[in-house]
Amino acid sequence: MSPVIVDARRLLCPMPVIRVQNRVKELPPGTRVEAICTDPGALSDIPAWCRINGHKLIETRTEGNEYIIVVEVGEES
Amino acid sequence: MTRQRKAVALISGGLDSLLAAKVIQQQGIHVEGINFFTGFCVEGHTHAIRQKDRSRVKRNNALWVAEQLGIKLHIVDIVEEYKDIVLNPKHGYGANLNPCLDCKIFMVKKAHEWIAENGFDFIITGEVVGQRPMSQRKDTMPVVARESGAEDRLVRPLSGRNLPATLPEREGWISRDQLYGFNGRSRKPQMALAEQFGLEDYAQPAGGCCFLTDAQYAVKLADLWQARGEKQYEMDDIMLLKVGRHLRLRPHFKVIISREEGEGNFLQGYRKQYVSLLTTSHAGPLALLDGTVDDDDIALAARLVARFSQGKQAERVELTVTALDGSQQQLSVKPLTAEEIPQEWYI
Ligand code: SF4
């Protein structure tokens, strides 16, 4: 299943985290969410947010000026 | 069996809210955190923008605090609703444009709504009697409890013993004896308690938790309101106030000039919303013009921007002007001299 995309480009932290949080709230466990960000802060903030709230960080990668963070929605959100 | 009581802690990312949450957590209460994003929060932004700050390890302190406590954190975007607090604070401003008392009331009110929706019992804040001149005074702390509607469901664990007993104390959910009686501006008791809890590396923001307490920032925001003839702002405005040099050349327009590469990249993102200038004959900054400008204004701004380029001593500097519709024109100007830039232009 292709991941749900959250476009957080041009947003500064903590807005990318808020966008991901609000999208994840609406999704069932196991769904993958791919956040596309331009603020490098998202590379540390979104993983921290996952650890705190019980979601799984699948991968982070850099593509040019964009940072991609893939998250899997945890059991209880 | 008695029900597990639950509290939500207002987490700013600073030490006080961290300690307050910890004190209640230690009394066996299930604690979760709530953090409000107003748009003015010191967290992140400028670090993300300026190149020189990029190499530094950057963290979001509210998330860090939640992780230290092992609690969930709910981040709430209140940017739109918060405008009314900044623009029309019933209790006025503090030393700069910080509406701290209204802000605290608003945040506690939002937290109060949140606990009702989520089945939580009470609210925790890191407020300390006498710690801050506006919102944390003996006479204003009850105002926060009352006007937010939280009343006696608002617990301030660090100063609890100096304040009337709250509902959780009266009901025996928490013990008053295990609250603290901190009072006044000193930070020593907090630091001692942090040590006791084995906490290190916590954030200690000077002044306050947001840009509105910053004098220079407040001057720029006031200038924006004056220039526009009305008190209002958009998210882009408040972001741009954190970036670059701002010079008001004429009452109807100002120039925002990047100071380094990171800021230049950030300003690039605004080129569709503002007329922009970029030097081409010499290395130089990217500049945005905020206001409705005519050709004379652009020519003057171009001379200023040339002054901030490598060509400041040159006879002529070439620039590209990009209009709002994306059309471009080339300009060749003589850079302003230092004497031609009045100090009053700097905001
Ligand atoms: S410093 Fe800013 S965020 Fe903190 S209470 Fe004052 S206005 Fe609110």
Side-chain angles (χ1 to χ4, degrees):
Chain A
M1 210 174 67
S2 50
V4 174
I5 304 290
V6 172
D7 184 352
R9 281 175 287 201
R10 286 200 53 216
L11 296 176
L12 296 174
C13 284
M15 281 312 288
V17 184
I18 298 177
R19 288 283 167 89
V20 170
Q21 167 194 270
N22 295 353
R23 196 72 186 90
V24 161
K25 246 187 235 161
E26 308 161 348
L27 298 168
T31 316
R32 291 203 173 177
V33 174
E34 182 172 312
I36 310 171
C37 310
T38 46
D39 181 347
L43 287 176
S44 58
D45 289 1
I46 295 179
W49 176 83
C50 285
R51 289 194 299 274
I52 292 164
N53 293 291
H55 304 293
K56 198 164 154 197
L57 179 71
I58 303 297
E59 74 162 315
T60 59
R61 60 177 197 270
T62 304
E63 284 179 11
N65 284 330
E66 294 180 353
Y67 308 96
I68 320 285
I69 298 118
V70 185
V71 169
E72 188 177 290
V73 181
E75 276 309 311
E76 174 224 357
S77 53
Chain B
M1 208 180 86
T2 49
R3 187 161 74 83
Q4 167 70 54
R5 295 291 165 182
K6 298 196 257 182
V8 74
L10 261 68
I11 299 291
S12 65
L15 178 60
D16 294 13
S17 51
L18 165 59
L19 294 173
K22 182 103 184 162
V23 167
I24 295 302
Q25 218 180 9
Q26 292 210 322
Q27 295 206 28
I29 303 291
H30 172 88
V31 177
E32 294 189 17
I34 194 165
N35 171 258
F36 294 104
F37 177 61
T38 65
F40 295 100
C41 307
V42 181
E43 287 307 305
H45 306 134
T46 38
H47 303 286
I49 298 166
R50 298 191 74 168
Q51 202 74 30
K52 71 174 173 63
D53 293 330
R54 282 199 178 197
S55 49
R56 249 190 260 157
V57 186
K58 182 201 151 287
R59 69 175 189 211
N60 175 302
N61 283 311
L63 288 168
W64 182 82
V65 162
E67 201 164 11
Q68 296 299 306
L69 291 163
I71 63 172
K72 286 192 175 183
L73 183 72
H74 309 275
I75 310 178
V76 187
D77 171 0
I78 54 167
V79 170
E80 280 306 312
E81 290 169 89
Y82 194 72
K83 285 181 181 172
D84 193 45
I85 307 297
V86 179
L87 301 176
N88 310 299
K90 189 176 135 200
H91 297 282
Y93 297 106
N96 294 299
L97 282 176
N98 48 313
C100 289
L101 186 50
D102 290 83
C103 172
K104 261 281 141 58
I105 293 168
F106 181 70
M107 288 184 181
V108 174
K109 180 167 157 258
K110 296 298 282 181
H112 189 230
E113 289 166 10
W114 191 93
I115 63 167
E117 283 160 22
N118 291 280
F120 278 52
D121 302 291
F122 63 101
I123 303 158
I124 309 163
T125 69
E127 292 164 286
V128 168
V129 176
Q131 178 90 190
R132 294 220 196 266
M134 188 176 202
S135 54
Q136 301 187 30
R137 288 197 322 241
K138 186 118 195 155
D139 58 328
T140 55
M141 283 175 68
V143 175
V144 175
R146 195 171 59 239
E147 293 194 12
S148 63
E151 307 275 2
D152 59 0
R153 284 182 188 264
L154 175 59
V155 178
R156 283 91 162 214
L158 303 185
S159 261
R161 283 203 225 160
N162 304 326
L163 295 162
T166 58
L167 181 77
E169 293 163 72
R170 292 199 309 272
E171 293 290 324
W173 304 339
I174 58 170
S175 147
R176 188 174 176 86
D177 296 343
Q178 290 172 49
L179 302 181
Y180 291 82
F182 297 171
N183 187 349
R185 299 202 63 126
S186 168
R187 303 286 305 154
K188 287 209 185 98
Q190 282 94 321
M191 284 153 78
L193 187 57
E195 204 181 322
Q196 203 181 310
F197 284 143
L199 296 166
E200 284 168 18
D201 200 25
Y202 45 80
Q204 287 270 45
C209 23
C210 84
F211 270 104
L212 294 167
T213 58
D214 182 279
Q216 260 185 316
Y217 188 89
V219 167
K220 287 185 194 158
L221 185 58
D223 165 80
L224 185 92
W225 290 342
Q226 204 197 344
R228 299 213 175 141
E230 60 175 333
K231 271 172 88 174
Q232 58 99 319
Y233 65 85
E234 294 304 327
M235 191 66 188
D236 281 341
D237 294 321
I238 61 180
M239 287 296 145
L240 284 171
L241 292 186
K242 298 175 190 171
V243 183
R245 292 186 181 87
H246 291 236
L247 291 97
R248 186 163 293 286
L249 277 52
R250 296 285 179 263
H252 63 279
F253 85 100
K254 73 170 172 179
V255 186
I256 306 169
I257 304 177
S258 66
R259 287 171 294 196
E260 44 86 278
E261 198 189 331
E263 289 191 341
N265 292 340
F266 181 76
L267 293 183
Q268 287 274 359
Y270 290 89
R271 290 180 73 177
K272 288 201 176 86
Q273 288 146 270
Y274 297 88
V275 174
S276 62
L277 295 173
L278 186 65
T279 52
T280 50
S281 58
H282 300 79
L286 177 71
L288 304 180
L289 307 191
D290 181 16
T292 309
V293 286
D294 63 18
D295 287 348
D296 288 344
D297 299 332
I298 292 173
L300 179 62
R303 294 189 63 202
L304 175 74
V305 175
R307 172 75 206 171
F308 285 103
S309 78
Q310 303 271 318
K312 63 179 176 196
Q313 309 290 359
E315 207 36 53
R316 309 296 291 178
V317 169
E318 321 273 321
L319 301 97
T320 301
V321 185
T322 308
L324 291 177
D325 61 5
S327 64
Q328 295 191 322
Q329 84 184 77
Q330 307 305 317
L331 277 186
S332 170
V333 298
K334 184 174 162 34
L336 289 177
T337 60
E339 298 72 48
E340 284 174 309
I341 303 175
Q343 201 50 45
E344 307 82 77
W345 281 5
Y346 283 90
I347 309 168

